[in-house]
Structure formats: structure tokens, C-alpha cells
Amino acid sequence: MKTIRRVIVLLCLWTLAARGVAQTASSLERDLGRISVVGMDDLGKVKLLAERGNVSAQLKMANACMSSRLYASALQWFSAAAEQGALEARYQKGHLLLFGCRGDSPSQSVTASPTEGLQFIFMAATNHHPAASFDMGLALRDGTGCPADLIWAY
């Protein structure tokens, strides 16, 4: 009788564990399936490095999120790299904030904050980032995040 109970308890525990692993694996596959990364061997290793503060890995994670339309996640990774002084990260963060970006879901959209975005664009433009200089000119021409000034826009 005790043996049967043990077997039943073990079967129940095994069934619950198998369901948990299957649910965890399927949710992980669903999340990772949305991120398309070309040329990376292991996204998990890149994410681990990014979480440890590796700027190159943070940029790779941000670009992977951008290509999958996960703009809010990309903004977080660009912000982390920008805090460490990465010029490309400053530009990309500024660009996302200057113009905003609509993701596949509202939680992955970035609402435009032109004044804040222009600060990061300015940092990148004054360090000779070509695309940042172009965005700075557009903002000055159109008055996005600052007063319009055609002379400075030129």
C-alpha cells in the first residue's frame, strides 16, 4: 500500500515537473523566437555578457531587439550602453526618443520625447556621428524638441 502511494506521488510530481519544464521551454522559445540574430552563436551568452555590462554585447542585444520590433527593450539596452559612453548607443537612444517608435505591442512601443532625445542626438552629433548630425539638422529645421532655426539646421 505504501509502495503504491509512493509511486502515485512520484508520478504526480513527475507530471507536474514535466508540465513546468514544457511551459518554461515553450515561453522561452516564444520569446527568443521573436529575436532574430544573424551571426551570433548563442544569444544567451550575449545577454549574459550584456547584463554584466559589456558594451558590445549590449549593442548586439539592442540591435537584435530593434530588428524584432521590440523597441522598448532596445531602448533599455541602448540606455545601458549609452551610460558607458558608447557613441552609437547615444545616437540610437536619441533617435528612438526623438521620433518615437511603434512596436508590435503597446508595451514595446517607445513614446516620442523630443527634448530628451535631442540631448542624446546632440551628444552624438558633436562627436562627429554622421546620422546624428543629420537628425540634429532635421530637428533644428522642423523645430522638433527645440525652436526651429534654419541657420543652425544648415
Side-chain angles (χ1 to χ4, degrees), residues 1 7 9 12 19 31 44 64 75 78 80 82 88 92 96 101 106 109-110 115 119 123 126 141 151:
M1 193 61 130
V7 170
V9 168
C12 289
R19 282 185 188 167
D31 292 342
L75 181 61
F78 282 134
E88 182 65 22
Q92 293 292 346
L96 280 171
C101 227
S109 296
V110 174
T115 306
Q119 293 172 358
M123 282 190 266
T126 55
R141 181 193 72 190
I151 295 171

Side-chain angles (χ1 to χ4, degrees), residues 91-102 110-118 121 131-132 134-142 144-145:
Y91 164 67
Q92 293 292 346
K93 179 179 181 178
H95 185 83
L96 280 171
L97 290 171
L98 184 63
F99 300 110
C101 227
R102 190 168 168 208
V110 174
T111 305
S113 176
T115 306
E116 185 182 358
L118 199 56
I121 293 290
F134 180 78
D135 282 357
M136 190 77 195
L138 290 178
L140 286 166
R141 181 193 72 190
D142 300 336
T144 306

Side-chain angles (χ1 to χ4, degrees), residues 30-138:
R30 182 181 64 246
D31 292 342
L32 290 179
R34 293 194 63 192
I35 298 177
S36 58
V37 182
V38 178
M40 284 192 213
D41 297 328
D42 187 359
L43 185 61
K45 289 180 184 177
V46 173
K47 185 176 180 187
L48 185 62
L49 287 171
E51 289 170 344
R52 290 182 180 171
N54 182 300
V55 174
S56 178
Q58 290 170 339
L59 287 171
K60 286 180 183 179
M61 286 299 299
N63 288 324
C65 290
M66 287 288 287
S67 67
S68 298
R69 299 177 51 89
L70 301 171
Y71 300 121
S73 298
L75 181 61
Q76 291 175 342
W77 288 116
F78 282 134
S79 295
E83 287 175 10
Q84 296 185 57
L87 185 62
E88 182 65 22
R90 287 180 177 171
Y91 164 67
Q92 293 292 346
K93 179 179 181 178
H95 185 83
L96 280 171
L97 290 171
L98 184 63
F99 300 110
C101 227
R102 190 168 168 208
D104 288 339
S105 68
S107 66
Q108 284 300 323
S109 296
V110 174
T111 305
S113 176
T115 306
E116 185 182 358
L118 199 56
Q119 293 172 358
F120 289 96
I121 293 290
F122 180 79
M123 282 190 266
T126 55
N127 283 292
H128 309 291
H129 190 286
S133 298
F134 180 78
D135 282 357
M136 190 77 195
L138 290 178

